[in-house]
Amino acid sequence: MLFRSAQYGEEGARFARKLAQLCPSRTPYSPQEEKAANFIMEELRSYGYQPEKQVFTVLDDEGNRRTSANVIAHMKGKGFQLSTKLSDENNEGLPAEENDLIMILGAHYDTPPLAFPQDDNEADDPSGEEDEEGEVTNLYPDGIHDNASGVAALLTAARIMREENPGYDVTFVFFGAGNDSYQGARHYLSSLSAQERKQVDVMVNIGPIYAGDKVYAHAGQNSVRSGEYKDYAKRRKLYQVTDIFFDNQLNSRNKYAIYTNQASFFVETDTGARAVFREWTTKLSDHTPFDRAGIPVVFMESGDYRVKDRDEVRIE
């Protein structure tokens, strides 16, 4: 079967469906969340990675210890070299090569807490079950949007990038307890040394992308300055995402588009400043700890930002 440029088969979609079906209630700290983490690790091993499980605990409001885990895989990059097209004047002060820049690609694999309808004939655990033909079915919310879709996209990237030999040292992180104030992302960031934080060039967070027909890429709030100004250094990674997309004509080759927020009215940021609501989002997710730490971020999600008021932004 022939695929258009940048289409990489159905493996990701199949994984998303199976994760959603086998672990539909993978809420933070639950047995299904642990089962999902192990499922992701098995998939990464099948690609040739040696994933690690970063276990962490948090205290809930009652003082009870709750345990979750991040699943982490590493890929060594080839580094970056200065382009021969640059003039000596443009090269001045720049290193001939960079070999230790890190790109973090992340997605949480847990689901929001949901109330599952039950009757006397239903078990407490709403896990799906395989029938004789290996199909898995259930009648409950299954988190295919939030966030089996993001996990599947991240796994597809992990599979394909092994063939691409990127310049970055890439760290793939599947965050646990993302729906509990992004605890997995917070723990992972806190585990990095000061030197490792300096090496992180960008954090890309893939959020829910299943529902709706528009996928948006956003910069973080650390790219926002008061008034109509923006921090280009923090927003450059977003522009690189869109440049790659349009330079390779992926919109026409794949009948698919990547959007940026062009709403362009004033909103209040987390810091209390008023700024133009354009090319960034007020939504908080696994990218938020990195954003607040001053690391450039790109957050991807499906939705619709053709709005005139912040309250009109909805999940598709």
Side-chain angles (χ1 to χ4, degrees), residues 42-71:
E42 290 175 9
E43 189 73 6
L44 287 166
R45 290 190 188 103
S46 73
Y47 302 161
Y49 289 94
Q50 296 180 327
E52 61 185 84
K53 184 180 286 188
Q54 184 186 56
V55 178
F56 60 92
T57 60
V58 300
L59 292 177
D60 63 17
D61 293 338
E62 287 75 38
N64 301 311
R65 289 190 175 275
R66 312 293 297 276
T67 301
S68 183
N70 297 323
V71 175

Side-chain angles (χ1 to χ4, degrees), residues 137-190:
T137 58
N138 67 72
L139 301 178
Y140 307 109
D142 59 11
I144 186 122
H145 178 58
D146 187 2
N147 188 31
S149 57
V151 168
L154 189 54
L155 283 169
T156 300
R159 176 170 58 86
I160 296 302
M161 289 177 75
R162 285 181 66 84
E163 306 169 7
E164 298 294 331
N165 195 19
Y168 284 111
D169 291 346
V170 183
T171 302
F172 302 95
V173 190
F174 300 83
F175 297 114
N179 284 283
D180 182 16
S181 300
Y182 23 89
Q183 291 287 355
R186 291 163 63 181
H187 179 80
Y188 176 76
L189 179 61
S190 70

Side-chain angles (χ1 to χ4, degrees), residues 185-215:
R186 291 163 63 181
H187 179 80
Y188 176 76
L189 179 61
S190 70
S191 73
L192 298 180
S193 67
Q195 179 59 35
E196 287 171 326
R197 289 196 187 200
K198 289 180 181 178
Q199 292 172 229
V200 176
D201 202 42
V202 60
M203 188 277 176
V204 179
N205 175 31
I206 306 179
I209 55 174
Y210 176 82
D213 56 2
K214 292 181 181 176
V215 172

Side-chain angles (χ1 to χ4, degrees), residues 68-246:
S68 183
N70 297 323
V71 175
I72 304 169
H74 299 278
M75 181 175 61
K76 185 66 178 175
K78 63 182 179 181
F80 297 93
Q81 291 76 39
L82 281 179
S83 172
T84 57
K85 297 179 181 179
L86 291 177
S87 66
D88 291 339
E89 181 180 348
N90 290 330
N91 283 344
E92 187 176 355
L94 297 176
E97 60 182 38
E98 289 270 13
N99 294 312
D100 57 0
L101 292 179
I102 297 171
M103 171 189 283
I104 298 172
L105 298 179
H108 72 262
Y109 61 89
D110 58 300
T111 58
L114 294 171
F116 289 87
Q118 293 184 350
D119 59 33
D120 293 339
N121 296 320
E122 292 176 330
D124 291 336
D125 183 358
S127 299
E129 296 183 356
E130 294 189 20
D131 59 22
E132 294 179 356
E133 297 180 354
E135 294 295 324
V136 187
T137 58
N138 67 72
L139 301 178
Y140 307 109
D142 59 11
I144 186 122
H145 178 58
D146 187 2
N147 188 31
S149 57
V151 168
L154 189 54
L155 283 169
T156 300
R159 176 170 58 86
I160 296 302
M161 289 177 75
R162 285 181 66 84
E163 306 169 7
E164 298 294 331
N165 195 19
Y168 284 111
D169 291 346
V170 183
T171 302
F172 302 95
V173 190
F174 300 83
F175 297 114
N179 284 283
D180 182 16
S181 300
Y182 23 89
Q183 291 287 355
R186 291 163 63 181
H187 179 80
Y188 176 76
L189 179 61
S190 70
S191 73
L192 298 180
S193 67
Q195 179 59 35
E196 287 171 326
R197 289 196 187 200
K198 289 180 181 178
Q199 292 172 229
V200 176
D201 202 42
V202 60
M203 188 277 176
V204 179
N205 175 31
I206 306 179
I209 55 174
Y210 176 82
D213 56 2
K214 292 181 181 176
V215 172
Y216 281 81
H218 309 282
Q221 291 200 38
N222 64 23
S223 75
V224 177
R225 290 180 176 173
S226 210
E228 299 184 11
Y229 302 100
K230 54 189 171 185
D231 187 329
Y232 279 94
K234 295 293 193 298
R235 202 166 291 190
R236 188 173 295 122
K237 298 305 173 184
L238 171 65
Y239 297 149
Q240 289 174 355
V241 167
T242 54
D243 284 348
I244 290 169
F245 186 85
F246 290 109

